[in-house]
PDB file of all heavy atoms in Angstrom:
ATOM      1  N   ALA C 189      31.096  31.472  -3.194  1.00 95.00           N
ATOM      2  CA  ALA C 189      30.750  31.285  -1.782  1.00 95.00           C
ATOM      3  C   ALA C 189      29.670  30.225  -1.616  1.00 95.00           C
ATOM      4  O   ALA C 189      29.648  29.475  -0.643  1.00 95.00           O
ATOM      5  CB  ALA C 189      30.269  32.600  -1.183  1.00 95.00           C
ATOM      6  N   LEU C 192      30.304  26.427  -0.726  1.00 96.00           N
ATOM      7  CA  LEU C 192      30.680  26.169   0.669  1.00 96.00           C
ATOM      8  C   LEU C 192      29.455  26.113   1.567  1.00 96.00           C
ATOM      9  O   LEU C 192      29.327  25.272   2.450  1.00 96.00           O
ATOM     10  CB  LEU C 192      31.626  27.268   1.158  1.00 96.00           C
ATOM     11  CG  LEU C 192      32.993  27.263   0.469  1.00 96.00           C
ATOM     12  CD1 LEU C 192      33.602  28.649   0.432  1.00 96.00           C
ATOM     13  CD2 LEU C 192      33.916  26.286   1.161  1.00 96.00           C
ATOM     14  N   GLN C 193      28.570  27.049   1.272  1.00 96.00           N
ATOM     15  CA  GLN C 193      27.335  27.135   2.042  1.00 96.00           C
ATOM     16  C   GLN C 193      26.514  25.844   1.817  1.00 96.00           C
ATOM     17  O   GLN C 193      25.993  25.245   2.775  1.00 96.00           O
ATOM     18  CB  GLN C 193      26.556  28.353   1.516  1.00 96.00           C
ATOM     19  CG  GLN C 193      25.380  28.760   2.343  1.00 96.00           C
ATOM     20  CD  GLN C 193      24.495  29.760   1.575  1.00 96.00           C
ATOM     21  OE1 GLN C 193      24.735  30.047   0.390  1.00 96.00           O
ATOM     22  NE2 GLN C 193      23.481  30.278   2.242  1.00 96.00           N
ATOM     23  N   VAL C 242      38.382  30.362  -3.048  1.00 89.00           N
ATOM     24  CA  VAL C 242      37.407  30.440  -1.948  1.00 89.00           C
ATOM     25  C   VAL C 242      37.414  31.849  -1.374  1.00 89.00           C
ATOM     26  O   VAL C 242      38.476  32.375  -1.054  1.00 89.00           O
ATOM     27  CB  VAL C 242      37.779  29.406  -0.856  1.00 89.00           C
ATOM     28  CG1 VAL C 242      36.897  29.576   0.358  1.00 89.00           C
ATOM     29  CG2 VAL C 242      37.671  28.000  -1.416  1.00 89.00           C
ATOM     30  N   PRO C 243      36.247  32.482  -1.260  1.00 88.00           N
ATOM     31  CA  PRO C 243      36.183  33.848  -0.746  1.00 88.00           C
ATOM     32  C   PRO C 243      36.744  33.923   0.672  1.00 88.00           C
ATOM     33  O   PRO C 243      36.595  32.997   1.457  1.00 88.00           O
ATOM     34  CB  PRO C 243      34.681  34.158  -0.733  1.00 88.00           C
ATOM     35  CG  PRO C 243      34.034  33.131  -1.582  1.00 88.00           C
ATOM     36  CD  PRO C 243      34.929  31.963  -1.609  1.00 88.00           C
ATOM     37  N   LYS C 244      37.396  35.071   0.961  1.00 75.00           N
ATOM     38  CA  LYS C 244      38.084  35.253   2.243  1.00 75.00           C
ATOM     39  C   LYS C 244      37.181  35.035   3.455  1.00 75.00           C
ATOM     40  O   LYS C 244      37.511  34.314   4.375  1.00 75.00           O
ATOM     41  CB  LYS C 244      38.700  36.671   2.311  1.00 75.00           C
ATOM     42  CG  LYS C 244      40.053  36.754   1.639  1.00 75.00           C
ATOM     43  CD  LYS C 244      41.152  36.194   2.554  1.00 75.00           C
ATOM     44  CE  LYS C 244      42.495  36.138   1.859  1.00 75.00           C
ATOM     45  NZ  LYS C 244      42.582  35.081   0.856  1.00 75.00           N
ATOM     46  N   ASP C 245      36.006  35.652   3.453  1.00 63.00           N
ATOM     47  CA  ASP C 245      35.161  35.583   4.644  1.00 63.00           C
ATOM     48  C   ASP C 245      34.596  34.171   4.874  1.00 63.00           C
ATOM     49  O   ASP C 245      34.017  33.888   5.903  1.00 63.00           O
ATOM     50  CB  ASP C 245      34.019  36.610   4.588  1.00 63.00           C
ATOM     51  CG  ASP C 245      33.196  36.453   3.324  1.00 63.00           C
ATOM     52  OD1 ASP C 245      33.744  35.924   2.346  1.00 63.00           O
ATOM     53  OD2 ASP C 245      32.019  36.834   3.328  1.00 63.00           O
ATOM     54  N   GLU C 246      34.785  33.327   3.892  1.00 47.00           N
ATOM     55  CA  GLU C 246      34.297  31.958   4.070  1.00 47.00           C
ATOM     56  C   GLU C 246      35.417  31.042   4.548  1.00 47.00           C
ATOM     57  O   GLU C 246      35.196  29.880   4.832  1.00 47.00           O
ATOM     58  CB  GLU C 246      33.731  31.408   2.752  1.00 47.00           C
ATOM     59  CG  GLU C 246      32.558  32.200   2.221  1.00 47.00           C
ATOM     60  CD  GLU C 246      31.261  31.896   2.964  1.00 47.00           C
ATOM     61  OE1 GLU C 246      31.198  30.906   3.718  1.00 47.00           O
ATOM     62  OE2 GLU C 246      30.305  32.667   2.792  1.00 47.00           O
ATOM     63  N   ASP C 247      36.609  31.625   4.636  1.00 48.00           N
ATOM     64  CA  ASP C 247      37.777  30.812   4.979  1.00 48.00           C
ATOM     65  C   ASP C 247      37.683  30.180   6.356  1.00 48.00           C
ATOM     66  O   ASP C 247      38.269  29.141   6.624  1.00 48.00           O
ATOM     67  CB  ASP C 247      39.055  31.655   4.896  1.00 48.00           C
ATOM     68  CG  ASP C 247      39.662  31.584   3.517  1.00 48.00           C
ATOM     69  OD1 ASP C 247      39.222  30.724   2.731  1.00 48.00           O
ATOM     70  OD2 ASP C 247      40.565  32.375   3.243  1.00 48.00           O
ATOM     71  N   THR C 248      36.925  30.822   7.212  1.00 47.00           N
ATOM     72  CA  THR C 248      36.783  30.309   8.575  1.00 47.00           C
ATOM     73  C   THR C 248      35.973  29.020   8.598  1.00 47.00           C
ATOM     74  O   THR C 248      36.012  28.274   9.552  1.00 47.00           O
ATOM     75  CB  THR C 248      36.086  31.354   9.469  1.00 47.00           C
ATOM     76  OG1 THR C 248      34.934  31.829   8.764  1.00 47.00           O
ATOM     77  CG2 THR C 248      37.001  32.496   9.794  1.00 47.00           C
ATOM     78  N   MET C 249      35.204  28.807   7.512  1.00 49.00           N
ATOM     79  CA  MET C 249      34.373  27.607   7.446  1.00 49.00           C
ATOM     80  C   MET C 249      35.230  26.353   7.456  1.00 49.00           C
ATOM     81  O   MET C 249      36.344  26.330   6.950  1.00 49.00           O
ATOM     82  CB  MET C 249      33.558  27.617   6.163  1.00 49.00           C
ATOM     83  CG  MET C 249      32.123  28.001   6.421  1.00 49.00           C
ATOM     84  SD  MET C 249      31.230  27.904   4.892  1.00 49.00           S
ATOM     85  CE  MET C 249      29.590  27.915   5.541  1.00 49.00           C
ATOM     86  N   MET C 251      36.958  23.289   6.420  1.00 43.00           N
ATOM     87  CA  MET C 251      37.318  22.756   5.119  1.00 43.00           C
ATOM     88  C   MET C 251      37.931  21.376   5.298  1.00 43.00           C
ATOM     89  O   MET C 251      38.460  21.044   6.345  1.00 43.00           O
ATOM     90  CB  MET C 251      38.358  23.675   4.456  1.00 43.00           C
ATOM     91  CG  MET C 251      37.862  25.073   4.199  1.00 43.00           C
ATOM     92  SD  MET C 251      36.763  25.131   2.797  1.00 43.00           S
ATOM     93  CE  MET C 251      37.815  24.369   1.588  1.00 43.00           C
TER      94      MET C 251
END
Side-chain angles (χ1 to χ4, degrees):
Chain C
L192 293 152
Q193 191 193 6
V242 173
K244 276 281 174 287
D245 55 336
E246 299 283 347
D247 269 348
T248 48
M249 257 183 164
M251 298 284 306

